[in-house]
Amino acid sequence: MTGAASPFHFSPRPNRASEIAWRPWGPEAFAEAAAQDRPILLAISAVWCHWCHVMDETSYSDSQVIATVNERFIPIRVDNDERPDVNRRYNMGGWPTTAFLTPEGEIIHGGTYVPPEQMRLYVQQVADVWRDKRAELAERVREIQEHEREGHRQEPGDLSWETVETVGSLIRGQYDPQFGGFGREQKFPQPSLLRFVLDEHRRHGHPELATMLHRTLVAMAGGGMYDHVEGGFFRYSTTRDWSVPHFEKMLEDNAQLLSVYAEAHRSFPQAGYDRIARDVIRWLDTVLWREDAGMFAGSQDADEHYYLLDADERAKHDAPYVDPRLYTGWNALAASAYFASAAALADPGLAQRARRVIRAIAERMTVDTHVMHFDAGAGPQLPDLLADLAPCLAAALDSYETGDHPEALAGAVHLATWLCDRLEDPEQGGFWDAPERDEPGRVTRREKPIEDGSLAADGLLRLAALSGEERWRASAERALRGFVGEYRRWGQFAAAYASAVARALAEPLVIAVVGPADDQAAARLWQAALRCDDPARALHRLVPGRDDARLASLGYAPERTAAYVCIGTVCSAPLADDAALAGELARARRRFERSS
């Protein structure tokens, strides 16, 4: 059973997994493995993971497995959510990950869930190979290292619309016209892909893209992927038709899907996506919100029995466990989703919650200019991961573009500075997933994840448009060029990259609305600006007396209430009413026709 004093989280159901002498990830465990000349058993699990619980209840509760692991291995247990950097380098295809390593942290063998009978064989065989066939094993490790070095060489190239079109073609090829979604087997929501489809429709208006989006969003919300009682989306569907989900619910997934449904409602206000958005918010506010922290908890456990009950029956049972840990990147995604929902649903209270999350990240999760990854109750840990800095930059820009928080632009500049100073590769381009640090095993070798790097580049492009500082655009374009030679191998999972490339290639559209805070004409212009769904849009709400320095730097007359539309370096004349602004924005959309 799970002990109250244990630093590890085990299955909530009866098990003996805690009888294995697990060590936390760190140099001490690796030094112990080297000193005792033992291989390492690395178990990567997650609080919300159903099969991780099963592994605890079966294989890690098997007496023979427990004895062999304790006698012949140094067992290390890692939580995926706390250490995504470890997971990125050692995940063997899913959770749980079961990896056998040398004391130096190189992979000997591994897989995902291993049933007890097979696990007994694995631990015995790996221990015997380590003892008896060390030379053969060393040669195999060397071959794996060489193969990985060959496969990770960057091939920079020039940015072009061909990249966006190629990824779009890959996505259309994976689309399932019968059930919606992408692929023909188990279905994942893939919010980055859905956002790419939505933005491609916004750029070009192709009706087949709207069909793909509608069919997928309706199928996800109407089937088993969605909790029709308490709200919120489950992690993924085990079936093609979205009917049988894996029942865990994640802050990360629901935040990104909330953004997608809110943005879809803005573009298709009659489709009913506002109802889904409000329902996801209901679950987030009711189940994951931590009033004491001003942030959202990380996840809610899978429970196949509970989630199949109706509302009355659920009321008779304890709800599945909620992991109270705070994750910075996921909360930043939630803040962005709440800002998007506030605009789409005309609900300013949602923006207030988003701002509270941003304040909590600044006050609780930022230590001496370092943005920390998580807080499990003992204070914030693990500084400056790309997976945190990139969504924090996006959330700061989203906060600024509400028009109510002009100081957020300076916050975005700070975040961008930290990101580039600590994570940018100025030679090859791109952003490392973590700063240089002394870590065991493969974690010492930094990687450049395409999705997180694309989110960072997208944020820097937005910041360049708003600040006028071209150094941010230069870093973003250098990062995107670094993936030109390899994005195809990611297939449809390069959707976030294609979205960032599209922003880089499109002339930025900057809308500035100038006027007093209580001026009705300025308010109407600002609402028209907020309705613009151009994928390369950036917004300024400039209030005389509050924003005089920015007004002066942009050259707008503070005494005149007006809107200005700038495409690249060319700006419109002052626009005095929302009809004139709408006409100018319609003309701005033609630039995509020239680019397509």
Side-chain angles (χ1 to χ4, degrees):
M1 296 291 289
T2 302
S6 173
F8 305 107
H9 184 94
F10 301 104
S11 170
R13 296 180 290 273
N15 68 86
R16 299 174 59 195
S18 62
E19 295 180 27
I20 295 176
W22 299 106
R23 281 75 157 174
W25 176 274
E28 295 84 3
F30 282 80
E32 186 180 359
Q36 298 186 21
D37 193 27
R38 293 193 199 179
I40 290 167
L41 168 61
L42 173 63
I44 303 177
S45 62
V47 169
W48 43 263
C49 169
H50 168 74
W51 284 103
C52 301
H53 296 169
V54 174
M55 188 94 173
D56 283 347
E57 296 153 20
T58 57
S59 302
Y60 291 143
S61 291
D62 181 89
S63 296
Q64 186 176 330
V65 170
I66 294 170
T68 305
V69 169
N70 284 337
E71 290 169 9
R72 305 190 69 181
F73 291 84
I74 298 298
I76 298 176
R77 192 171 175 107
V78 170
D79 183 277
N80 164 75
D81 298 341
E82 289 189 354
R83 294 303 304 260
D85 51 343
V86 175
N87 177 71
R88 182 181 300 281
R89 290 153 178 80
Y90 288 105
N91 193 287
M92 304 299 291
W95 299 278
T97 271
T98 308
F100 298 95
L101 315 179
T102 69
E104 295 74 35
E106 297 301 329
I107 296 172
I108 300 171
H109 186 64
T112 53
Y113 171 75
V114 183
E117 304 80 13
Q118 193 174 356
M119 191 66 176
R120 290 187 211 114
L121 291 175
Y122 274 7
V123 294
Q124 190 69 45
Q125 289 172 350
V126 170
D128 290 346
V129 167
W130 179 255
R131 182 190 62 199
D132 302 330
K133 298 181 179 180
R134 192 74 60 86
E136 295 176 23
L137 187 59
E139 177 61 21
R140 180 184 172 195
V141 167
R142 188 195 66 76
E143 290 174 355
I144 291 173
Q145 289 175 326
E146 184 63 27
H147 175 74
E148 289 178 344
R149 279 193 293 270
E150 289 294 324
H152 284 83
R153 290 178 179 171
Q154 278 190 271
E155 299 178 20
D158 295 329
L159 300 181
S160 74
W161 285 101
E162 180 185 358
T163 296
V164 183
E165 294 159 3
T166 298
V167 173
S169 295
L170 291 168
I171 289 172
R172 285 190 291 273
Q174 287 294 308
Y175 173 64
D176 181 349
Q178 184 175 358
F179 296 107
F182 303 89
R184 299 297 188 271
E185 297 179 2
Q186 60 187 20
K187 294 280 181 64
F188 287 83
Q190 301 186 54
S192 295
L193 189 155
L194 294 171
R195 185 58 187 267
F196 172 82
V197 172
L198 174 59
D199 284 347
E200 273 290 270
H201 181 267
R202 288 171 167 178
R203 279 187 281 270
H204 304 298
H206 299 321
E208 67 271 18
L209 294 173
T211 298
M212 291 166 59
L213 186 73
H214 290 318
R215 190 163 190 83
T216 302
L217 294 182
V218 169
M220 287 198 306
M225 260 284 296
Y226 192 72
D227 184 350
H228 298 275
V229 176
E230 295 178 3
F233 286 92
F234 300 114
R235 189 162 177 81
Y236 70 95
S237 173
T238 63
T239 58
R240 178 183 174 188
D241 64 355
W242 304 99
S243 60
V244 182
H246 250 232
F247 286 101
E248 54 269 346
K249 293 185 192 175
M250 310 293 298
L251 172 59
E252 177 187 26
D253 299 332
N254 278 277
Q256 293 181 88
L257 286 170
L258 173 57
S259 286
V260 169
Y261 277 89
E263 288 296 327
H265 174 63
R266 291 181 62 228
S267 290
F268 307 102
Q270 305 306 316
Y273 298 134
D274 54 333
R275 179 183 62 82
I276 304 303
R278 292 185 189 279
D279 217 26
V280 173
I281 291 166
R282 174 172 65 92
W283 175 75
L284 287 166
D285 285 351
T286 302
V287 177
L288 293 192
W289 179 250
R290 282 187 52 183
E291 182 64 26
D292 63 315
M295 297 173 70
F296 293 96
S299 62
Q300 187 173 27
D301 264 11
D303 187 325
E304 294 180 3
H305 173 70
Y306 178 86
Y307 286 119
L308 293 176
L309 301 175
D310 61 24
D312 291 338
E313 287 300 311
R314 284 192 197 184
K316 302 174 184 176
H317 294 75
D318 291 333
Y321 174 77
V322 172
D323 177 8
R325 289 175 294 182
L326 305 171
Y327 293 99
T328 296
W330 295 357
N331 270 275
L333 291 172
S336 288
Y338 272 61
F339 281 131
S341 299
L345 306 176
D347 185 345
L350 300 176
Q352 293 173 9
R353 174 140 295 184
R355 279 297 300 171
R356 188 166 175 200
V357 170
I358 287 178
R359 285 196 300 272
I361 290 173
E363 295 168 3
R364 179 178 186 138
M365 306 300 287
T366 306
V367 179
D368 297 329
T369 78
H370 295 281
V371 176
M372 313 303 277
H373 175 59
F374 74 95
D375 186 348
Q381 306 288 323
L382 197 61
D384 299 329
L385 297 188
L386 180 61
D388 297 316
L389 284 168
C392 282
L393 173 58
L397 293 168
D398 291 335
S399 179
Y400 175 76
E401 290 189 326
T402 64
D404 296 324
H405 307 287
E407 74 285 352
L409 189 60
V413 170
H414 287 309
L415 288 163
T417 302
W418 301 342
L419 190 155
C420 291
D421 286 351
R422 296 162 191 174
L423 302 180
E424 185 178 11
D425 179 353
E427 295 181 2
Q428 294 293 317
F431 301 98
W432 304 110
D433 64 333
E436 286 189 301
R437 55 204 168 138
D438 186 15
E439 278 277 352
R442 293 183 168 205
V443 180
T444 301
R445 304 199 289 268
R446 298 193 292 174
E447 297 184 2
K448 295 178 185 175
I450 190 170
E451 185 151 2
D452 292 338
S454 299
L455 179 59
D458 190 81
L460 292 174
L461 291 168
R462 293 175 63 191
L463 181 58
L466 288 167
S467 69
E469 296 186 45
E470 283 303 302
R471 60 173 173 148
W472 307 124
R473 172 172 285 275
S475 290
E477 291 182 347
R478 188 162 51 242
L480 296 173
R481 286 197 299 269
F483 282 106
V484 166
E486 61 177 300
Y487 76 88
R488 286 179 179 84
R489 73 182 178 91
W490 295 89
Q492 67 193 50
F493 300 105
Y497 173 71
S499 292
V501 169
R503 184 185 287 275
L505 293 170
E507 294 178 283
L509 173 70
V510 180
I511 310 168
V513 174
V514 179
D518 58 355
D519 185 274
Q520 293 301 308
R524 288 192 294 271
L525 287 169
W526 183 240
Q527 289 305 310
L530 289 172
R531 286 194 295 271
C532 174
D533 63 3
D534 189 298
R537 179 201 76 175
L539 300 177
H540 292 292
R541 176 67 176 96
L542 302 171
V543 178
R546 185 192 75 177
D547 304 310
D548 288 342
R550 183 143 296 277
L551 278 164
S553 68
L554 294 172
Y556 297 135
E559 67 278 2
R560 181 171 191 170
T561 294
Y564 303 84
V565 174
C566 299
I567 301 175
T569 59
V570 178
C571 295
S572 71
L575 305 167
D577 58 72
D578 51 344
L581 174 56
E584 192 67 30
L585 293 175
R587 284 188 289 275
R589 202 171 295 268
R590 295 174 189 163
R591 72 197 194 284
F592 293 119
E593 297 173 7
R594 293 192 298 271
S595 302
S596 59

